[in-house]
Amino acid sequence: MAPVNPLIEETWKEKLTDEFNAPYFSQLKSFLVEEKTSHQVYPPGSQIFNAFNYTPFNKVKVIILGQDPYHGSGQAHGLSFSVPAGIKQPPSLQNIFKEIKSDLGIPLPAHGNLENWAKQGVLLLNAILTVRAGQASSHQNKGWEQFTDAAIKRLSEERENLVFLLWGNFAIAKKLLIDSSRHLILSSTHPSPFSVHRGFFGNKHFSKTNQYLKSHGIGEVDWRV
């Protein structure tokens, strides 16, 4: 089978070479090729690895872990929780901005594009990197979780003093991949309207993240978008 040569930032390509060369990744690629013959898949192919492309391995400071991409038209662009400018902010993202306002006094923004965070070292990583239009979690258990778990493990093992923001049970389960003696793990309920009042609002994760980064001599994140 032909080698997989993804459009992904070079430092990540090097770190994840073993994954790209593994049988499961070839199977994943074949699944996506077949899926696209009969279904709309989000995000567009050129944006699937945007989280990695915006935030090189050695630049990562913070990881915000999502589950899978938004499945509505025009929403997903490869960054967890983010939508392109001009697209209505989904409820979870609105709640994230509300917590930032409560925590840091930053006004609610007019758009939901989080590229500014990604460029500062916030890895906006979904565990699953693609989705069928209109069908949440439709690309679950196709190989993406193995790939993104490998990325989390590499960060945990090779970097120090990162902040992992784990919101909701799906993300919290990834604690097993992270060395808590080397990194800060902050967890709470998900910002979804169904759970936001059970621990997300008031978690102060954004100020806590900056306090931790500052205490380790790492530049703080400007949480404005």
Side-chain angles (χ1 to χ4, degrees), residues 2-217:
V4 176
N5 187 31
L7 295 169
I8 191 170
E9 190 273 333
E10 285 300 320
T11 61
W12 279 110
K13 184 181 281 191
E14 178 188 341
K15 296 296 181 185
L16 298 172
T17 295
D18 289 349
E19 306 307 312
F20 292 125
N21 292 330
Y24 84 85
F25 203 90
S26 294
Q27 293 164 10
L28 171 60
K29 185 178 181 183
S30 296
F31 162 75
L32 290 172
V33 170
E34 175 66 23
E35 181 81 343
K36 288 177 181 178
T37 63
S38 52
H39 298 283
Q40 180 79 40
V41 173
Y42 300 135
S46 62
Q47 298 177 1
I48 288 173
F49 294 112
N50 263 359
F52 302 97
N53 294 336
Y54 276 104
T55 316
F57 184 84
N58 292 322
K59 302 287 188 184
V60 176
K61 301 177 184 180
V62 180
I63 299 89
I64 298 181
L65 190 66
Q67 187 162 356
D68 68 342
Y70 296 122
H71 52 82
S73 177
Q75 291 181 307
H77 66 139
L79 304 176
S80 63
F81 294 102
S82 180
V83 291
I87 299 294
K88 182 181 178 182
Q89 298 171 15
S92 291
L93 182 57
Q94 291 179 21
N95 288 333
I96 289 169
F97 290 144
K98 288 175 184 176
E99 175 57 24
I100 291 172
K101 181 180 180 184
S102 170
D103 187 9
L104 296 171
I106 294 172
L108 297 176
H111 67 86
N113 190 331
L114 305 182
E115 289 176 7
N116 185 50
W117 296 1
K119 291 173 182 175
Q120 295 180 73
V122 181
L123 183 67
L124 296 164
L125 182 65
N126 281 315
I128 303 160
L129 297 186
T130 56
V131 70
R132 184 187 293 180
Q135 297 186 39
S137 303
S138 47
H139 289 183
Q140 205 165 7
N141 301 320
K142 301 298 184 183
W144 280 130
E145 295 94 333
Q146 188 170 342
F147 176 76
T148 54
D149 280 0
I152 294 167
K153 285 181 193 170
R154 293 304 290 264
L155 286 167
S156 176
E157 292 167 359
E158 298 187 22
R159 298 288 312 281
E160 290 185 349
N161 304 323
L162 301 178
V163 182
F164 290 84
L165 302 182
L166 308 180
W167 300 330
N169 292 335
F170 182 90
I172 290 169
K174 302 294 183 180
K175 275 185 179 181
L176 298 174
L177 306 172
I178 304 162
D179 183 348
S180 59
S181 70
R182 295 165 64 91
H183 308 285
L184 176 64
I185 301 173
L186 296 174
S187 58
S188 77
T189 60
H190 195 275
S192 153
F194 301 107
S195 55
V196 70
H197 292 287
R198 300 203 308 268
F200 183 83
F201 281 157
N203 67 20
K204 298 193 180 296
H205 280 183
F206 304 95
S207 60
K208 289 176 180 176
T209 292
N210 278 349
Q211 288 163 8
Y212 179 85
L213 294 174
K214 187 175 182 180
S215 72
H216 289 89

